[in-house]
């Protein structure tokens, strides 16, 4: 692959502490990755840091460079590490180049000093919070098995006190997934969040044990169930699309609007046709194909021996990204919501189709229900955007539709076509009730919107 055919920018999740963290969250897929580096001190050396920043800058043909820090817990490196990272960005930057540093943290170690630093240097901070206390503390506990909610909320309030740009990452698991509106309203009304990500927790099992590799065809009891995840998204979407469009931003909904507009990219790799532009850099300089594939079979090399450009452009990495599309079973390719789903993440494709093909996504049933459900509102939103009208008008349009529905309710049979024009039966559309109630899962296995 020549420099002309390389993507003009890439996203690398750098892990300066590797898998080391001060917490011991039960569902964390990365904690056990420390077994890949048994003799390591788990701190990125300065020469690796400098090499990484220099190569990242040399790679980029685009003036906008995102430098992403993750873990483990990246704040364990201390502020001086990130000051050196900023110094290297300044030293090696090209004319006109602009940097955005992002950092994902559990929030428990944040102080005024950290937040002053983040504000001064325009860091975007992601903070992990799984909902109100009773839901958050189920799985997000420290190494002494103590709850972490109060410490996380203290960190969040410090970010807000200092005006640091931030978002909330929720890991949707088998417990909090049964309480979507409680989670969403807590984040919106009590945590003061206006940007949210909902990431499904899926732990694969081999011989009944969680594996550090992408292996196994059953999941742990902590893992969210497919239809449970779909109902979680549906309930939150219904609340959001009626009350919060333009005020609260949900990453999955943003991506969906982009796919309904048929834009080239959804903004989320899981909902794009191919992947391979989001890599993971370990503290040693080892570069992996993806954050979810930090394992020997997906090790591309080390930046102290090979340039980022060489590894990103390698045949191995191109095949990795293209396989997201090429390994899709026919069931997915012919699916009515494929344009929105794109098969989701390859790490979750470990089921078989009814026809016996491998590669069906574990979350298929949930995503299919979700994307079918949101079709009508998203068509309205896409039309508003094409007409250059405020997309928040969708709330007004839906309110008018529902007023008309109320006037005829009782005159429509549950199996009649819904009069909104969606093509669905009334009971599956505006006649649906109980969106926030948990359902039994028959498949239980072991552009900003403004």
């Amino acid at each position: 692959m020549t420099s002309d055919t390389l993507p003009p920018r890439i996203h690398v999740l750098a892990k300066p502490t590797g898998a080391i963290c001060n917490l011991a969250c039960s569902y964390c897929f990365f904690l056990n990755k420390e077994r890949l580096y048994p003799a390591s001190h788990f701190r990125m050396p300065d020469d690796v840091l400098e090499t990484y920043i220099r190569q990242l800058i040399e790679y980029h043909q685009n003036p906008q460079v995102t430098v992403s820090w993750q873990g483990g817990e990246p704040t364990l490196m201390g502020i001086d590490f990130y000051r050196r990272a900023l110094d290297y960005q300044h030293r090696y930057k090209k004319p006109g180049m602009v940097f955005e540093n992002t950092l994902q943290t559990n929030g428990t170690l944040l102080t005024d000093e950290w937040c002053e630093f983040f504000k001064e240097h325009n860091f975007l901070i992601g903070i992990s919070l799984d909902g109100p206390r009773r839901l958050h503390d189920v799985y997000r506990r420290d190494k002494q098995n103590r709850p972490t909610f109060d410490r996380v909320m203290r960190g969040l309030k410090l970010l807000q006190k200092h005006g640091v740009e931030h978002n909330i990452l929720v890991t949707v698991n088998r417990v909090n997934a049964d309480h979507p509106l409680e989670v969403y309203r807590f984040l919106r009304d009590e945590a003061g969040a206006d940007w949210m990500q909902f990431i499904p927790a899926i732990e694969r099992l081999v011989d009944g044990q969680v594996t550090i590799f992408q292996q196994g065809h059953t999941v742990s009891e902590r893992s969210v169930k497919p239809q449970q995840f779909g109902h979680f998204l549906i309930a939150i979407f219904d609340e959001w699309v009626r009350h919060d469009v333009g005020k609260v931003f949900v990453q999955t909904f943003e991506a969906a609007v982009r796919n309904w507009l048929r834009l080239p990219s959804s903004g989320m790799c899981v909902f794009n046709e191919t992947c391979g532009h989001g890599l993971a850099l370990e503290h040693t300089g080892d570069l992996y194909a993806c954050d979810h594939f930090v394992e020997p079979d997906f090790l591309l090399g080390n930046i102290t021996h090979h340039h980022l450009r060489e590894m990103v452009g390698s045949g191995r990495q191109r095949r990795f990204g293209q396989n997201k599309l090429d390994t899709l079973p026919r069931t997915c390719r012919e699916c009515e919501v494929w344009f929105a789903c794109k098969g989701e993440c390859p790490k979750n494709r470990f089921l078989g189709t009814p026809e016996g093909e491998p590669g069906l996504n574990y979350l298929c049933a949930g995503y299919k229900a979700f994307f079918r459900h949101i079709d009508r509102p998203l068509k309205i939103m896409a039309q508003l955007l094409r007409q250059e009208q405020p997309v928040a008008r969708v709330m007004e349009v839906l309110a008018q539709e529902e007023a008309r529905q109320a006037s005829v309710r009782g005159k429509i049979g549950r199996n009649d076509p819904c009069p909104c024009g969606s093509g669905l039966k009334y009971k599956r559309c505006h006649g649906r009730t109980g969106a926030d109630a948990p359902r039994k899962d028959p498949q239980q296995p072991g552009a900003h919107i403004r």
Side-chain angles (χ1 to χ4, degrees), residues 207-250:
D207 296 328
Q209 300 296 317
V210 175
T211 172
I212 66 170
F213 303 128
Q214 296 298 348
Q215 300 172 348
H217 296 86
T218 57
V219 301
S220 73
E221 63 183 11
R222 293 183 290 259
S223 300
V224 67
K225 295 180 286 186
Q227 290 187 338
Q228 184 188 33
F229 186 60
H231 292 312
F232 178 90
L233 293 176
I234 286 170
I236 292 176
F237 179 85
D238 284 351
E239 172 91 355
W240 172 83
V241 81
R242 287 163 176 78
H243 304 288
D244 297 323
V245 177
K247 296 180 292 184
V248 176
F249 303 93
V250 178

Side-chain angles (χ1 to χ4, degrees), residues 67-224:
V67 187
S68 296
W69 308 102
Q70 203 185 52
E73 176 48 47
T75 59
L76 289 171
M77 289 300 295
I79 291 178
D80 285 345
F81 173 85
Y82 297 99
R83 290 197 175 105
R84 292 195 299 277
L86 294 174
D87 288 343
Y88 292 135
Q89 291 170 28
H90 181 74
R91 180 184 304 180
Y92 292 111
K93 73 176 181 178
K94 301 172 186 176
M97 190 164 268
V98 177
F99 296 91
E100 179 186 48
N101 284 269
T102 71
L103 185 144
Q104 182 67 38
T105 177
N106 59 46
T108 62
L109 301 178
L110 296 182
T111 62
D112 283 306
E113 184 183 11
W114 270 112
C115 295
E116 289 165 2
F117 172 78
F118 292 149
K119 178 63 176 178
E120 179 183 357
H121 299 287
N122 299 312
F123 272 61
L124 170 62
I125 304 302
I127 190 165
S128 298
L129 179 62
D130 284 358
R133 182 191 306 275
R134 74 180 189 92
L135 299 176
H136 173 92
D137 282 339
V138 173
Y139 294 131
R140 299 196 65 83
R141 305 181 78 86
D142 66 16
K143 294 184 185 299
Q144 289 75 44
N145 198 35
R146 296 175 302 190
T148 63
F149 178 82
D150 287 335
R151 283 173 278 173
V152 176
M153 289 301 292
R154 183 180 66 234
L156 176 60
K157 296 305 180 186
L158 283 172
L159 291 171
Q160 294 168 342
K161 168 187 169 183
H162 290 277
V164 178
E165 188 177 359
H166 62 280
N167 58 53
I168 303 293
L169 186 151
V170 177
T171 302
V172 184
N173 54 72
R174 199 165 296 187
V175 175
N176 64 1
D178 277 343
H179 308 279
L181 293 185
E182 184 179 352
V183 170
Y184 178 74
R185 290 169 179 168
F186 168 78
L187 297 178
R188 180 192 64 192
D189 301 337
E190 297 183 47
D194 59 11
W195 231 115
M196 306 173 192
Q197 303 176 59
F198 297 111
I199 308 299
I202 302 171
E203 296 179 296
R204 293 167 68 173
L205 301 179
V206 174
D207 296 328
Q209 300 296 317
V210 175
T211 172
I212 66 170
F213 303 128
Q214 296 298 348
Q215 300 172 348
H217 296 86
T218 57
V219 301
S220 73
E221 63 183 11
R222 293 183 290 259
S223 300
V224 67

Side-chain angles (χ1 to χ4, degrees), residues 250-277:
V250 178
Q251 187 185 36
T252 302
F253 305 163
E254 295 256 331
V257 171
R258 293 178 68 87
N259 278 339
W260 254 259
L261 284 166
R262 303 305 199 269
L263 297 180
S265 171
S266 70
M268 289 180 69
C269 60
V270 297
F271 298 130
N272 290 341
E273 278 192 16
T274 60
C275 58
H277 302 161

Side-chain angles (χ1 to χ4, degrees), residues 381-435:
M381 296 170 78
Q383 184 65 21
L384 289 168
L385 288 166
R386 292 188 187 103
Q387 295 173 349
E388 299 184 349
Q389 295 187 48
V391 74
R393 280 202 59 207
V394 68
M395 296 185 287
E396 175 187 342
V397 174
L398 290 176
Q400 292 171 350
E401 282 189 357
E402 288 168 4
R404 289 195 296 271
Q405 293 293 325
S407 69
V408 299
R409 193 169 290 132
K411 303 175 185 177
I412 305 173
R414 286 178 52 75
N415 290 311
D416 292 341
C418 187
C420 78
S422 67
L424 298 174
K425 292 181 179 180
Y426 181 64
K427 68 182 180 183
R428 297 293 184 192
C429 193
H430 284 83
R432 186 178 59 84
T433 60

Side-chain angles (χ1 to χ4, degrees), residues 281-320:
L281 183 76
E282 266 289 353
H283 62 293
T284 59
D286 285 348
L287 185 72
Y288 291 87
C290 170
D291 180 42
H292 290 285
F293 289 86
V294 175
E295 50 190 85
D297 286 347
F298 298 93
L299 174 62
L300 299 173
N302 190 288
I303 61 171
T304 62
H305 304 298
H306 305 281
H307 199 285
L308 266 174
R309 186 185 297 113
E310 175 187 345
M311 292 185 281
V312 173
S314 68
R316 286 184 64 198
Q317 185 63 3
R318 280 182 286 156
R319 285 191 297 274
F320 175 83

